[in-house]
Amino acid sequence: MNLADYDVLSFDCYGTLIDWESGIGDVLGAWAADAGSPMSEDELLAAYAPNEAQAQQDSPSMLYPDILADAFGRTGDALGIPVTPDWSGRLAGSVPDWPAFPDSADALASLAEHYKLVILSNVHRAGFAGSNRRLGVEFDAIVTAEDVHAYKPADNHFDALDAILDDFGVPKSRLLHVAQSLFHDHVPARRHGLASVWIDRRHDRPGWGATPEPNGDYGFAMQFPSMAEFADAARGAHGNA
């Protein structure tokens, strides 16, 4: 793969650019500690992950704060720990507070010199707007779950991406999808015939974290442990190493 052969980069945001595991884990950890549970953050995230995915599948038009609250309640039921309205509200309202990974803003600024940048996000518009202030770049197009009334790995985001490429006048072969989640992004990217890059944020941690294990065919052309290393490779491909 030559990274200079692409004109558009589409990104997953949460898990790739924004550290959603820290954001969710902070609330789950405080809740579990308040209940006297000894579960670790990774154990809590592993318990939470399938419940968020199921809530999204069950209610594809539900706004993401309500998905968070629903998934939190399901997780509490599974673990036998009550989730009060106060706790569910804390998680539901936490998206704008989730931190960006330290390398995201600089990497995006560098990549914007060579590519159009598109977001395919599983959150709502207001939540992404809060996150975007942390990322510090102007994306050329933004697709949220609120816009397409569905959550990845459903096809809706990627169908919308096809229309964006038409507006850009860019063929699909000149788009590269960049994402951490094999489950949410690389499986549907494969279905849609897109080349993709895996930003393996959990390369130094076991398990799947807040993301379910992938349950379909997936693949990726390149793999990087961080956005910084991906941006460095892109600069090198464009002769700016």
Side-chain angles (χ1 to χ4, degrees):
M1 169 179 281
N2 184 349
L3 292 174
D5 288 341
Y6 299 90
D7 301 313
V8 180
L9 302 178
S10 56
F11 289 91
D12 165 56
C13 183
Y14 297 88
T16 305
L17 306 174
I18 295 291
D19 188 358
W20 77 318
E21 291 191 346
S22 289
I24 294 173
D26 284 348
V27 177
L28 295 183
W31 162 74
D34 187 62
S37 169
M39 294 181 71
S40 68
E41 179 177 298
D42 275 348
E43 289 172 330
L44 291 165
L45 291 174
Y48 172 85
N51 290 301
E52 181 176 299
Q54 190 61 55
Q56 291 170 341
Q57 182 177 330
D58 290 346
S59 304
S61 294
M62 184 182 284
L63 290 180
Y64 191 58
D66 298 321
I67 291 288
L68 289 169
D70 185 2
F72 198 176
R74 295 175 189 231
T75 303
D77 290 343
L79 297 177
I81 305 174
V83 177
T84 65
D86 177 64
W87 279 114
S88 62
R90 285 175 62 174
L91 185 59
S94 67
V95 174
D97 299 326
W98 295 353
F101 287 105
D103 62 349
S104 292
D106 287 346
L108 289 169
S110 174
L111 293 166
E113 297 177 8
H114 302 289
Y115 307 95
K116 289 184 178 294
L117 307 181
V118 177
I119 282 288
L120 302 185
S121 173
N122 261 6
V123 305
H124 55 311
R125 296 170 196 152
F128 178 74
S131 297
N132 200 13
R133 289 190 285 271
R134 299 176 182 273
L135 298 175
V137 297
E138 183 175 350
F139 290 92
D140 295 280
I142 298 166
V143 181
T144 71
E146 183 177 359
D147 298 317
V148 297
H149 306 288
Y151 290 89
K152 297 178 292 182
D155 290 320
N156 302 46
H157 286 79
F158 293 89
D159 292 338
L161 182 59
D162 289 340
I164 289 168
L165 291 176
D166 287 343
D167 290 343
F168 288 167
V170 174
K172 186 180 290 189
S173 61
R174 301 288 296 185
L175 176 133
L176 184 62
H177 189 56
V178 184
Q180 184 274 332
S181 176
L182 301 178
F183 174 86
H184 294 100
D185 286 271
H186 291 278
V187 169
R190 167 63 69 88
R191 283 201 305 269
H192 284 255
L194 300 178
S196 66
V197 167
W198 186 22
I199 306 300
D200 184 11
R201 291 289 192 182
R202 290 187 61 88
H203 63 277
D204 57 352
R205 299 170 65 185
W208 297 99
T211 303
E213 184 174 355
N215 58 359
D217 291 336
Y218 65 89
F220 43 86
M222 301 180 81
Q223 176 180 349
F224 299 93
S226 68
M227 280 292 298
E229 293 196 24
F230 172 57
D232 285 345
R235 280 194 297 272
H238 286 88
N240 298 319

